[in-house]
Amino acid sequence: MNAPVSSADALRAALAGLLDGLPPKAAAQAVERLIANYRGRTPTDAPVLRDRSDVAAYAAYRMPATFEAVRTALEAFAAAAPGWVPGGHVDVGGGTGAATWAVHATWPGERPVTVLDWAEPALALGRELAAGHPGLRAARWQRARIGQALTLESTDLVTVSYVLNELTPADRAALVDTAASAARAVVIVEPGTPDGYARVLQARERLVAAGFRIAAPCPHGAACPIAPGTDWCHFSARVSRSSLHRQVKGGSLAYEDEKFSYVAAARFPVAPVPARVVRRPQIRKGQVLLDLCETEPALRRATVTKRHGDLYKAARDADWGDAWPPADEQRR
C-alpha cells in the first residue's frame, strides 16, 4: 500500500506544473520585485501581486516558505490546545492559500474554508492549486479589501500570515480587532525581522486586551520580557527549495531556513509550554546551552550537562522553538 501524500509534498507537486511553463527571466524579475516588497517598510494600498506572472513567481518563491512557517506556528498552537480541531477557517490576506494548506496539514479533514485577498490573480491561482486537494477544493476564494472596512463572519480559526507588513498602522489594528471579534482562535505570522516582531507584539497586545489567552510561542500572557530595542523574538522553519527558487537566488543548497515571528491565541483554555527555546541551542563539549523564555515571565540561559542524564540527551536533540523540558520529561 502506498503511503499517504503529505500536504507539503502535495503542495510541491501542485506547484511543479506551474513552474514548467514559467520563463526563468520573467520569473526572476518578478521575484526580485516581490522580495523588495516583502522586505520593504512602506505600506501599500495596492495589491502586491498584479498579474499571473507575479502570482506564479510568488507561488514558486514564497508559498513553500509561508506554508512551513505557518505550519510550525499551528503545530505549536495545536500542542497547547490538544483535542481542539477548528470547525471552520478564514485566511485573511491569504493570497494563493499557503496557510490553508498548513491548516489542513495540522488538522486533516474537510471544513468550511474562506480565503480573502484583494489580488484576484492570487485568488485565481490559489483556487487552481487547491482544485486537486480533497480537503481544499471546496474552499471559497473571495476578493476583499484588507483594512478597516473588512468584516468577517464568525468562525473557529482566523489566520493572518505575512499581511500586516503591507498595511498602515490603523489598518493593522483594525484587522487584528476584526479577527478577534470573529474567531475563537487567531494565529498571526510575520517575517522574523525586528519590524516583523514589533508588529506581532502589537497584535499580541490587542489580542490579550480582547480577552484572548496566549497559546504560543510565549509560555505566558504577560508583557514580553525582551527589553525594547535589544533583541527580537523569532523562530526558524526548514524549507525545501524548488529548482526555480535555487535559480533565482543563485544558491546550490536544496533547502533554506525561513525566519518568522508569530503569535497564536484563543478564547478558550490553552496549556502553554513551561518554557520555550528562543535561540538555536549551543552544543559544547559535555554541555548544551539553552536560551529560554519562561513562565515567570523571564529570559534565562540554562546549562544542561551530562550529569543531568536523560535531560542532557533531550537538550542535545532540542531545536530552536521547541518546548522545554520535552513533554515526556514534563510527565516525570
Side-chain angles (χ1 to χ4, degrees), residues 187-258:
V187 177
I188 295 173
V189 181
E190 282 287 292
T193 62
D195 286 345
Y197 159 69
R199 290 188 292 268
V200 167
L201 195 59
Q202 291 165 0
R204 179 185 185 275
E205 292 169 356
R206 300 191 79 86
L207 291 171
V208 170
F212 277 69
R213 299 174 171 92
I214 301 301
C218 318
H220 56 82
C224 179
I226 297 176
T230 64
D231 204 349
W232 70 99
C233 184
H234 64 294
F235 302 93
S236 180
R238 181 60 53 91
V239 183
S240 296
R241 282 177 169 173
S242 68
S243 58
L244 173 64
H245 202 152
R246 293 196 296 273
Q247 180 183 29
V248 169
K249 300 193 74 173
S252 59
L253 292 178
Y255 66 87
E256 69 173 24
D257 292 323
E258 171 72 4

Side-chain angles (χ1 to χ4, degrees), residues 125-141:
L125 190 136
R127 186 184 300 112
E128 179 184 329
L129 290 173
H133 192 300
L136 299 177
R137 61 168 60 110
R140 293 193 304 162
W141 302 79

Side-chain angles (χ1 to χ4, degrees), residues 43 146-149 164 167-178 202 206:
I146 310 302
Q148 297 178 59
L164 299 184
L167 304 178
T168 65
D171 281 350
R172 289 174 202 155
L175 173 53
V176 174
D177 291 347
T178 299
Q202 291 165 0
R206 300 191 79 86

Side-chain angles (χ1 to χ4, degrees), residues 141-152:
W141 302 79
Q142 183 176 327
R143 192 173 189 185
R145 177 73 170 86
I146 310 302
Q148 297 178 59
L150 179 70
T151 60
L152 297 176

Side-chain angles (χ1 to χ4, degrees), residues 148-170:
Q148 297 178 59
L150 179 70
T151 60
L152 297 176
E153 296 179 358
S154 296
T155 188
D156 277 347
L157 174 65
V158 167
T159 55
V160 184
S161 55
Y162 297 88
V163 174
L164 299 184
N165 62 315
E166 299 178 10
L167 304 178
T168 65

